[in-house]
Structure formats: C-alpha cells, structure tokens
Amino acid sequence: MTQTGNLITCCDKKQPPFPEACFPIRIPADDPFFNKKCMEFVRSVPVVDNSCPCEPRQQMNEITSYIDASNVYGSTKEEVNKLRSFKHGRLLVSDGGLLPPRANQLSCSLTDPGDFCFLAGDRRLHEVPTLGSIHVTFVRYHNYLASQLKQINRHWSDERIFQEARKIIGAVMQKINYQEYLPAILNYDIRRKYCLTAECKKYNDKVDPATVNSFAVTAFRFGHSQIAGMNAFFKLVQPRSKCPYGYGYKRKRCPMSEIIELERVQTETTFQNPKLVFDNVDGLQLFQITNASLKADGEIHDSVRNKLFLDSDNNSLDLAALDIQRGRDHGIPGYTEFRKFCGLSPVKYFRSGKHGLVDHNPRNIKLLRKAYRDVRDIDLFVGAQTEEHLPHSALGPTFSCLIAEQYKRYKIGDRFWWERPDPIVGFTRGQRRALNNLRFSKIMCEMHKLSEIQPYVMLLPNQKWNRRRSCRSLPSLDLRPWKEHKNGR
C-alpha cells in the first residue's frame, strides 16, 4: 500500500502508478491452475539512505526483532496504548475474552453478522484463524496475570501491574520458544552448538540481535510447507466418572475425556476471516495441539500454493512463488552461498556425489536440475527446503544452521533475556525458578477451559512420555515471588 493507504497494483496496467514498487511474477501459459499471465507482487518498503545512495537496497522492519511479545503489545507506544484498558493493568478484550475490535473493519473478511476485525499487537493476526487464536491465548493470559498480581500487591498502580505482567509474558514467550518449540524442530547437537540450550546463559553486547534478511524472508518460512488443507475445531466430552485431583501421575486407569470433531473447513476459506475464532476459539486451540502438521519439505499444499487469499472472483496467489520472489526482492544470495556460510560441503554440480547436492534425494536433485540452469542459481528457499532432514530434526542442515544462528543472536544479544540474573532489569532467583516450572500446556489449559492435555503441546500426545493427563496435574505459575513487602522485595 501507499502512504495514503491506496492499494498498489502491478499487473492490471501496462504502466503501474508506482513501477519502482512492483516486482510481479510471470505466470507461464501452461500453468495448470492460474489462467492469468501475471501475479501481483509489491516490493518491501526500502530504507532511505541519504548518506550513500550507492549502497544495496535495504528493507524496513516495522516490528521489533526481540522475542519480547510485541505481537501482543505492539512495537510502538502508540500501539500499546490502543490495546490497554488502563484499569488494573489489563488489556482490552471483547465479549467472551476475545480481542477488541479495530477501527478499520476492512482489514479482514467478514461473513457472519456480529463478527468484527480484531485489534492486536500484530496486524497479520487474521491471516489464518489458528494464528488469531494464539493472540487470544496470550491476551487472556496477560489479563489473568494482571488480576493475580493485583490480588497479591493491592497497592500497585495500573502501570506497575501492566508492566510486570508484560514482562512475565515476554519471558514466557522466550521460554516456550527455546524449551518447547526449538527442541521440536532442531536436534540437540544443533541447539548445543548454537547456545540454545538452558545451560547457555551468556550475554554479549557485541552481538546484534536484529533479524537478518535470510531468516526473515526465507529460512523461517519453512513452516509454509507444514500447512494442512483443513482447519477444524473440537470439543472435549468429560467421562461420566470424574477423575480425582492429580490424575495423570498416579491414577492411570481413570477414563479420559473424548475429543469430538465439531466442524472441518478447507483452509483456503479461512484466510483473513475470524469466523472460527468467534465460533469456538477453545476448540480451535484443541485442534492445534491434537493434529499433526505436514512434513517440512518441498511439498506445499494446494490451499496455499494455488488458493492463497482466494476471493469471490476466483483470484488467488501462490505462497511458494511469493516466498521465492521475496528472497529475490531482498537480494538473498543463492543456496550454494549459504552452504558456505554454514560450513557445509560445497555444491558445484547437480549430482549426489562429492561437490554435489549431498543432502538431497535423487528425486529432488532431478527436479532442481530441471528448474535451474546452474546450481548457483538455486534459490535459498528452494534448495534448503528440499534437503533431507537431520536426525531427530524437522529441518535439513542449511535451514537448521540459519534458524539456530538467528535464535542464538536473539538470546545472547538481548540484555533483558529472562534467564540472566540482572539485578536491575532481570527477574529474581525465585521468579526465574517459578517461570522455569511453567509449560505452555498449562497456559492452554487455563486460558481455553481444557481438562486434559499432553505436557509438551508442540508435539503430538503419545502413550509413553507425552500422554494426555489432567490439567490439574500441571503446575500453574507461582506468583508468590512477585509479592512485594513493605520493605521491598
């Protein structure tokens, strides 16, 4: 969009109004789905560099790089003020504990009367309903923390409660990312090598924690191949005999609740539409933690490969093509260059032997040879996405390297990292111990009325070490270390 809010189009006119902003994608005449010759693509907003116009084009980042819960609170003071109630440290919510409405009701697609576009710290929350449901989770958890902090520190002001709850939410997100999410996609050897394990708590003020281009527009888009073709929501039906307190640890024979699917809808019908969040946000979260994502590989589901943002006129986009084009827009070097950066074996030929595509299977080598004239032309997204996975990992070696390197920077370059015992900006020892005992599963239980859950929600439940258990058997965040006495902490 332009600064005035007008939509930039690049395909409909021979002379687009802003040609310098356009980088449209040519569609071959024999494409099996698209019947147009051009796919819309607008370049990222560039950073103005008055000192040296000969420098390479750099892009503007509108959100913070730190893992600081800016998706909940926004990245500017103006944004956070729009989200606050300014009463008892709470964030604004609508009926049912959902997000508040935003002023611009044209920012999403509404199909049901009474629904509205949500306001959150990140405006992309409507892209898929599962993302919107995560926003609801953390807004509810902020307000839960605010009410608990108010009870134990009745003399605290609205500002003090809000900032303390916000600080806890930021720490919780850091903990979830490093202790639950990264172990689900990166093996232990990679995490240990890149200082992502709990033992590594060092801080280096020379490390720039900013988000690098290759991570933002390529490596961290690997999850686009994990998107399934269906969204759904479920409900839990309690058994007739109720389980005693603490079930899941000692009482193994207590009957489990039954998970029943209520509705299943095609993914392409849910883009930019908050309907599923309004209908049953709790069941939507239950769907997320009980259903497997697709494998992260070179296969991308038709719902996003051909039907991304499908409208009533049958216009849509191709997410894979957009990911590749965004890398080119940002000037990302090719796949072979990042192999060198990561210290991996060099690639010079389209073959599986020495100096070849040693981390690809024969089928993918053949497809890459067909798509590219030279191995140096292979886009980073395509080359790394089609690698065979490392052992006990969801990714190949190149993306594992780039994602681990970025998360390392986030951690050791952040002075406010939750695990560091900084006497001014950090948490006390008791507070860190309390945070370390909390799991994302418990937050899901408390914020979405669940009675049973697997301890590690990033992984599917199983009958061994990650079996479903009573939510009451999981510890809540102990807020007693936050109680402030008359003489201070």
Side-chain angles (χ1 to χ4, degrees), residues 33-34 39 127-130 223-231 264-272 287 294 299-311 314-322:
F33 182 84
F34 293 95
M39 185 180 300
E127 288 187 355
V128 288
T130 46
H224 290 168
S225 68
Q226 295 181 299
I227 299 172
M230 291 286 182
N231 274 280
R264 184 168 286 255
V265 295
Q266 293 179 324
T267 297
E268 63 266 23
T269 67
T270 67
F271 299 135
Q272 304 290 2
F287 159 72
L294 300 182
E299 304 291 333
I300 296 182
H301 195 273
D302 188 65
S303 61
V304 291
R305 188 176 63 85
N306 286 325
K307 302 175 182 178
L308 180 68
F309 303 142
L310 182 68
D311 64 18
N314 212 35
N315 295 312
S316 61
L317 299 170
D318 179 339
L319 184 57
L322 297 178

Side-chain angles (χ1 to χ4, degrees), residues 214-319:
S214 57
F215 175 87
V217 303
T218 304
F220 214 51
R221 300 187 179 209
F222 80 90
H224 290 168
S225 68
Q226 295 181 299
I227 299 172
M230 291 286 182
N231 274 280
F233 45 67
F234 302 117
K235 71 175 181 178
L236 278 173
V237 178
Q238 298 283 13
R240 292 182 179 179
S241 59
K242 294 184 178 180
C243 299
Y245 181 83
Y247 161 67
Y249 179 68
K250 295 181 179 179
R251 300 294 294 266
K252 296 182 180 180
R253 294 185 179 180
C254 186
M256 300 295 292
S257 296
E258 182 182 0
I259 297 177
I260 297 179
E261 182 178 310
L262 296 178
E263 182 180 1
R264 184 168 286 255
V265 295
Q266 293 179 324
T267 297
E268 63 266 23
T269 67
T270 67
F271 299 135
Q272 304 290 2
N273 191 341
K275 171 178 166 54
L276 288 184
V277 179
F278 273 101
D279 286 353
N280 188 352
V281 66
D282 301 328
L284 189 58
Q285 290 294 54
L286 186 60
F287 159 72
Q288 292 201 80
I289 64 177
T290 54
N291 280 257
S293 62
L294 300 182
K295 182 181 179 182
D297 54 19
E299 304 291 333
I300 296 182
H301 195 273
D302 188 65
S303 61
V304 291
R305 188 176 63 85
N306 286 325
K307 302 175 182 178
L308 180 68
F309 303 142
L310 182 68
D311 64 18
S312 57
D313 296 324
N314 212 35
N315 295 312
S316 61
L317 299 170
D318 179 339
L319 184 57

